[in-house]
Amino acid sequence: MFPSSFAYRLLATVVLSVCCSLPVSFAQKSKNKAPDPAPVIKFGVISREEFAKASADSTAEALVLYDFGEVTFEENQGEVWLVFTCHSRTRINKKSAYNRATVQISTRRGRSGQHEYVSEFDGYSYNLANGDVTIDHFPKTAHFSEKVSDDYFREKYTLPNVHEGTIIEYKYTVRTPFSIRYTPRTWMFQQNVPVNWSEYRITIPDYFYYKILQTGYIPMAVNERTVKSVDLYPGQNGASASAYRFAMKDIPAFRDEAYITTEDDYMAKIEFELASYQWVDLRKHDLSVSWADLDRTLLNDADFGGQIKRAPFLRETAKTLLSQHADTLGRVTAAYEFIRKTIKWNEVGGFVSQEDIKKVFENKKGNSAGINLMLVALLREMDLEANPVILSTRSNGRINESYALIRKFNYVVAQVTVGGKDMLLDATDPLLKPGMLPVHCLNGTGRLVHSSASRFVSLLPTEREGNTYTGSFTISDDGEITGTFQQSQVGYSALKARKSFASEGKTKYLEGLQKRRPIWQIEKVDFSGADWNSSSFNTDYTFSIPDACGRAGDRLYLRPMLTEGHGINPFKEPERLYPVDFGYAKEETFVATYTLPQGYQVEEMPKPVSMALPENAGRFTYQIGINTENKLQVVSRIMLRKPMYFAEEYPNLRELFSRIVAKHAEPVILKRGPVAEKK
């Protein structure tokens, strides 16, 4: 029987975990069964051929030839232990991968004397010299233990004689008592280098039910479950168990591609979460937590629900704000502004307040939860229906709506209904518009926590990133461009500019603009709209660009997008497994008029283009021509109407950006005419 204190630890930890079910197939016995695709690898035995094994990625710093992990359950002195064994073999291709020769394993220390520990570590370094394989054995003196915290140690094992071309191999066992950790370690099939074969096995006695989560975008080469019997507990011989086998082959290196949230959302891996156990007393102990349980737990928690009950210290403020504003939106905005101006964010996140919100109010500083839960409390004091919404930030990974697990949440914002619609508020940033979430919160869905009306809330942005560039220029006959130029930013573009302008100051902000446009000679610049309630943040320039146009005889070559054209396609790979997550929709417009030098005419100009993504998910248009005043006009518009594009949409999105880069690079050719030549 598990001790009651252990059962409590299980419940507390399950509330702080994430997982979901993974479908597996039962292994079938058949005379026509396909041969096992796994390579035959014996520890300490290597062939010369492995030094020459090709990788699909010739630029990779290393190639994992074989990675094998297995978990079994054992009994030791009346307690269950998890026993994890690992066998790995890797070829080092470049010096940058030498750190792989130091194997680092974290182990947890228990508070009651029991510890997780590593046993049976062994390893070799193999090198090829003059056609012969040389072998260096791991010296036991190359093992070091490092204390990380009161709860964790780090074991380090360094393999010897590693060079470019060395193959390293090691194996070890980690033994973990259930009182320390009852969840098997996460198995990473995918790494930041290619992996030829990665296999994970686990045999789970039917005493325990684990939820299994497979994440990533790579299919399994092996996905099997067989039924077997195990002897785990004295007097309970022949207990039924499920033996799982998962494997992947030819796994590409994970690349931190443009526009993703966090690698944890995308890398191929297996995770576990203990949902229930049925021990020898035959009673089932259910550790699964429903969303209703989670809501109830949070609302009963002093650091969460206790903070949003009646707040007498805010009562006078609430009365004042109510008397000053008659409509709901005005009252919500006033409460939002009061909290933002009164309380400074200490740059610490979280979804529970580190201290009582009354103390946060007195200190005029707090973490994000203290600030936003205080906003909920103030709105409620104003008799407005306001609730907390917990969420996971982009760097923390997405939540799974199928499983109520608190560990995936790390932030909280306020919700209030205005005009029958949800308005989400984050009062940590003095420059955020009401109803606009910071970029780090734009991550799928959040959970509105309420005693009887909890629900999931969309975190899709209400604002886009908008940039409009407007220029009026004159080209001299020596190729210099002079004129005025305005950049008008709205939505998330304006937010970013305002934050930089506020933190850096006008002088330093201007220095940053000049650094990004080094060929500009800025004569004058004005800024407007630095407050959050302005419709846009505007930067107005008067400047010149000497030698803006290339010269060749009687021709000038003008790039009409100047320095504002897109010169690089952010999507370099021909294929992509992961969604493209911009966070918000984007819109960019460039409009410029050029007065041509006297006597010059347009000899050649780019052809117009109009390209739309399927289902009108995005568009690029580019038009250029001469108006009735013999002035050159160029208009470029880019619209990406979705915050996220899925992998199947990637080819079209990549092609769109290829067209943008190519068109923005095309020059206008101006030729001096007969009138100018007579002079």
Side-chain angles (χ1 to χ4, degrees), residues 297-309 350-357 360 367-374 388 390 412:
T297 298
L298 285 175
L299 291 172
N300 291 332
D301 190 287
D303 295 330
F304 188 88
Q307 305 283 7
I308 54 177
K309 294 178 181 178
F351 64 95
V352 294
S353 183
Q354 295 175 322
E355 52 190 356
D356 187 83
I357 61 171
V360 172
N367 74 340
S368 60
I371 292 172
N372 288 327
L373 291 176
M374 188 188 302
I390 56 174
V412 63

Side-chain angles (χ1 to χ4, degrees), residues 5 30 44 47 168 231 242 275 279 294 350 421 488 511 608 628 639 647:
S5 61
S30 171
S47 65
I168 59 172
D231 297 334
S242 296
W279 204 226
L294 183 149
K421 296 182 179 180
S488 180
E511 289 175 358
T628 56
M639 290 171 284

Side-chain angles (χ1 to χ4, degrees), residues 115-127:
H115 306 304
E116 184 177 41
Y117 67 94
V118 180
S119 66
E120 304 165 14
F121 186 93
D122 199 3
Y124 296 96
S125 297
Y126 307 104
N127 287 284

Side-chain angles (χ1 to χ4, degrees), residues 5-72:
S5 61
F6 177 60
Y8 174 80
R9 275 198 304 276
L10 288 178
L11 179 57
T13 309
V14 166
V15 174
L16 297 173
S17 300
V18 60
C19 60
C20 73
S21 298
L22 168 69
V24 294
S25 59
F26 281 91
Q28 301 291 331
K29 291 185 178 180
S30 171
K31 295 180 180 179
N32 299 320
K33 185 177 180 181
D36 194 321
V40 178
I41 302 291
K42 292 185 178 180
F43 184 74
V45 178
I46 199 165
S47 65
R48 287 192 295 269
E49 288 73 20
E50 292 195 60
F51 289 90
K53 276 190 177 179
S55 169
D57 183 0
S58 60
T59 65
E61 66 177 17
L63 171 63
V64 177
L65 301 166
Y66 182 74
D67 205 20
F68 179 88
E70 184 171 17
V71 172
T72 58

Side-chain angles (χ1 to χ4, degrees), residues 1-2 7 10-11 205-211 273-289:
M1 188 65 190
F2 290 126
L10 288 178
L11 179 57
D206 286 355
Y207 298 122
F208 311 102
Y209 171 63
Y210 283 90
K211 298 174 184 176
E273 188 65 40
L274 184 61
S276 64
Y277 65 91
Q278 183 171 322
W279 204 226
V280 293
D281 59 0
L282 300 182
R283 287 187 301 137
K284 183 179 180 181
H285 304 263
D286 192 358
L287 304 178
S288 294
V289 177

Side-chain angles (χ1 to χ4, degrees), residues 267-470:
M267 292 189 77
K269 63 182 183 298
I270 284 279
E271 294 179 290
F272 299 85
E273 188 65 40
L274 184 61
S276 64
Y277 65 91
Q278 183 171 322
W279 204 226
V280 293
D281 59 0
L282 300 182
R283 287 187 301 137
K284 183 179 180 181
H285 304 263
D286 192 358
L287 304 178
S288 294
V289 177
S290 69
W291 284 110
D293 293 332
L294 183 149
D295 298 331
R296 189 163 42 252
T297 298
L298 285 175
L299 291 172
N300 291 332
D301 190 287
D303 295 330
F304 188 88
Q307 305 283 7
I308 54 177
K309 294 178 181 178
R310 285 306 196 186
F313 68 94
L314 293 172
R315 200 155 292 159
E316 289 303 315
T317 299
K319 289 180 181 179
T320 300
L321 297 179
L322 284 171
S323 67
Q324 295 173 346
H325 302 275
D327 63 296
T328 300
L329 180 59
R331 291 174 172 179
V332 170
T333 302
Y336 182 59
E337 272 296 274
F338 174 80
I339 297 295
R340 293 202 301 180
K341 290 180 178 178
T342 305
I343 314 299
K344 184 178 180 180
W345 184 34
N346 62 10
E347 304 293 330
V348 177
F351 64 95
V352 294
S353 183
Q354 295 175 322
E355 52 190 356
D356 187 83
I357 61 171
K358 183 178 180 181
K359 189 173 181 180
V360 172
F361 184 76
E362 293 169 351
N363 293 337
K364 310 301 181 189
K365 181 182 285 190
N367 74 340
S368 60
I371 292 172
N372 288 327
L373 291 176
M374 188 188 302
L375 176 58
V376 172
L378 175 58
L379 291 168
R380 289 183 172 184
E381 287 293 334
M382 297 169 68
D383 295 323
L384 293 169
E385 179 64 32
N387 299 286
V389 172
I390 56 174
L391 58 88
S392 175
T393 57
R394 291 171 69 85
S395 62
N396 193 57
R398 289 181 177 267
I399 68 165
N400 189 318
E401 295 182 21
S402 300
Y403 295 93
L405 299 163
I406 291 181
R407 183 171 66 92
K408 287 302 294 181
F409 295 96
N410 67 333
Y411 207 83
V412 63
V413 296
Q415 176 271 346
V416 66
T417 302
V418 178
K421 296 182 179 180
D422 287 330
M423 176 181 277
L424 300 181
L425 303 165
D426 184 345
T428 63
D429 191 332
L431 295 172
L432 275 173
K433 292 171 60 176
M436 184 178 180
L437 291 179
V439 176
H440 59 259
C441 291
L442 304 178
N443 196 29
T445 57
R447 176 74 176 177
L448 187 151
V449 182
H450 189 274
S451 58
S452 60
S454 292
R455 56 187 169 89
F456 292 106
V457 175
S458 171
L459 302 177
L460 286 174
T462 56
E463 298 276 342
R464 70 188 191 285
E465 177 190 80
N467 287 281
T468 300
Y469 306 90
T470 307

Side-chain angles (χ1 to χ4, degrees), residues 188-192 195 218 251-254 266-268 577-578:
M188 306 299 299
F189 292 99
Q190 193 171 24
Q191 303 184 29
N192 60 0
V195 179
I218 300 170
I251 310 164
F254 177 80
Y266 306 99
M267 292 189 77
L577 296 173
Y578 325 121

Side-chain angles (χ1 to χ4, degrees), residues 96-151:
S96 56
Y98 283 3
N99 61 331
R100 289 178 170 270
T102 297
V103 182
Q104 301 188 45
I105 308 165
S106 65
T107 57
R108 191 168 182 176
R109 295 297 192 260
R111 297 296 177 90
S112 58
Q114 283 193 317
H115 306 304
E116 184 177 41
Y117 67 94
V118 180
S119 66
E120 304 165 14
F121 186 93
D122 199 3
Y124 296 96
S125 297
Y126 307 104
N127 287 284
L128 197 60
N130 299 320
D132 295 324
V133 177
T134 63
I135 302 175
D136 292 278
H137 192 230
F138 165 73
K140 293 187 177 180
T141 55
H143 169 217
F144 302 93
S145 293
E146 175 183 79
K147 183 177 180 179
V148 178
S149 66
D150 290 340
D151 296 322

